[in-house]
């Protein structure tokens, strides 16, 4: 695996919405992430310790032991965030051929993190962007948010950030924050049009840099990582926003009926 990497095409925080409308995705450097969220990098780094305490992902169908994660769900309504009772993560096979159709119940995010003001700012800003882009109603409806904390490690060699390959998530907006990257090579981000030839590849390396995507228009993946020395990890926070309901609500209801 080559160590060649391409610099991220950072965009202005003042033009995030227009950039996504015009090109399907936007990328922000850490200082601009903090500015766009109305917070500071120091406050974002308050969440960093969480990634050292993520339980193993027990649902990997490729037999790997390289992924650790937590998952929680929220609703943002009229700009106010509330956490919903803990629930499973579900995707259809059309969006995740490897793990689709499974009710995956992961450990929730810590109460202390969810209570942080910076967490509320982060999720409420993403929900506001998603509503501005995808909800044409004069008064936007609730935004259904899923948050995933991931650690991919290289203790056993190769770690795969996206074992399902290039994919979409079945939501409206996808936000991928790089929280930490240490002692690895690889982990290149690739994002390209679902119905066209355009695409870009780059490597996020700066803690709390961010990629935002229109999920209906863009397909994305991250390439495998390999260790450069012991302790190789890639930590990310993935937050998705969706109108109407959580993904899987109809499927769960049909099973219950």
């Amino acid at each position: 695996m080559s160590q060649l990497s391409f610099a991220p095409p950072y965009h202005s925080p003042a033009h995030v919405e227009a950039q996504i409308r015009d090109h399907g995705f936007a990328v922000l450097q850490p200082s601009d992430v903090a500015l766009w969220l109305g917070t500071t990098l120091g406050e974002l780094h308050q969440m960093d310790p969480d990634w050292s305490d993520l339980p193993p992902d027990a649902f990997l169908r490729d037999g790997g032991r390289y992924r650790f994660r937590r998952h929680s769900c929220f609703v943002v309504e009229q700009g106010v965030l509330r956490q919903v009772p803990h629930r499973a993560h579900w995707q259809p096979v059309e969006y995740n051929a490897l793990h689709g159709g499974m009710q995956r119940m992961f450990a929730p995010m810590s109460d202390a993190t969810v209570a942080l003001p910076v967490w509320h700012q982060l999720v409420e800003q993403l929900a506001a962007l998603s509503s501005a882009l995808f909800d044409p109603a004069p008064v936007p409806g609730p935004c259904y948010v899923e948050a995933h904390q991931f650690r991919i490690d290289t203790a056993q060699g190769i770690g795969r950030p996206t074992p399902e390959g290039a994919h979409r998530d079945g939501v409206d907006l996808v936000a991928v924050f790089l929280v930490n990257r240490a002692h690895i090579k690889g982990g290149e981000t690739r994002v390209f049009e679902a119905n066209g030839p355009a695409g870009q590849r780059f490597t996020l390396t700066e803690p709390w840099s961010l990629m935002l995507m229109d999920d209906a228009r863009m397909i994305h993946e991250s390439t495998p990582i390999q260790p450069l020395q012991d302790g190789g990890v890639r930590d990310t926070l993935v937050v998705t926003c969706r109108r109407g309901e959580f993904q899987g609500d109809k499927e769960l209801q049909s099973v219950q009926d």
Side-chain angles (χ1 to χ4, degrees):
M1 185 184 300
S2 172
Q3 294 189 53
L4 175 68
S5 64
F6 298 91
Y10 289 135
H11 303 113
S12 166
H15 303 130
V16 166
E17 185 177 334
Q19 171 67 26
I20 296 173
R21 288 190 190 278
D22 293 343
H23 301 285
F25 77 104
V27 186
L28 298 180
Q29 62 186 342
S31 59
D32 286 340
V33 171
L35 179 65
W36 184 67
L37 294 175
T39 186
T40 67
L41 277 176
E43 289 174 321
L44 287 169
H45 282 298
Q46 289 177 12
M47 294 185 279
D48 290 2
D50 279 10
W51 275 264
S52 296
D53 186 34
L54 301 182
D57 183 336
F59 296 94
L60 282 171
R61 279 184 165 168
D62 66 358
R65 297 180 181 178
Y66 52 80
R67 185 157 77 178
F68 304 79
R69 68 191 293 179
R70 291 183 183 271
H71 166 254
S72 288
C73 295
F74 307 83
V75 173
V76 178
E77 191 165 10
Q78 297 183 0
V80 178
L81 171 71
R82 63 179 174 87
Q83 188 172 10
V84 303
H86 194 51
R87 52 179 286 130
H89 176 52
W90 187 92
Q91 292 175 293
V93 293
E94 291 82 359
Y95 291 111
N96 190 327
L98 186 61
H99 300 114
M102 300 173 66
Q103 294 294 324
R104 292 182 285 168
M105 184 69 81
F106 299 108
M109 295 177 62
S110 76
D111 292 340
T113 296
V114 169
L116 288 172
V118 68
W119 178 251
H120 285 247
Q121 289 172 270
L122 183 152
V123 177
E124 288 167 4
Q125 176 72 337
L126 291 173
L129 174 63
S130 187
S131 294
L133 287 167
F134 306 112
D135 192 338
V139 179
C143 183
Y144 296 83
V145 178
E146 295 194 52
H148 308 258
Q149 296 172 302
F150 290 102
R151 166 164 285 186
I152 308 298
D153 79 8
T154 57
Q156 297 185 338
I158 293 176
R160 295 177 172 83
T162 53
E164 64 272 40
H167 66 283
R168 290 160 52 211
D169 288 338
V171 297
D172 293 326
L173 181 73
V174 177
V176 181
F177 296 85
L178 180 77
V179 176
N180 181 43
R181 176 189 169 100
H183 311 313
I184 62 168
K185 59 182 178 179
E188 179 182 85
T189 296
R190 297 177 179 176
V191 56
F192 49 95
E193 293 177 343
N195 297 303
Q200 282 196 257
R201 53 190 291 201
F202 50 89
T203 303
L204 295 174
T205 60
E206 298 182 273
W208 289 102
S209 50
L210 167 65
M211 179 176 67
L212 297 154
M213 290 174 291
D214 177 341
D215 186 61
R217 291 173 56 189
M218 309 305 293
I219 294 174
H220 65 280
E221 67 176 334
S222 297
T223 61
I225 62 173
Q226 290 184 357
L228 292 175
Q229 61 185 71
D230 290 346
V233 296
R234 183 177 185 266
D235 296 339
T236 56
L237 168 67
V238 177
V239 181
T240 65
C241 299
R242 193 173 193 264
R243 292 163 290 171
E245 62 190 359
F246 288 110
Q247 194 164 216
D249 278 357
K250 286 188 175 69
E251 290 74 14
L252 282 172
Q253 187 61 48
S254 66
V255 170
Q256 293 167 357
D257 292 346

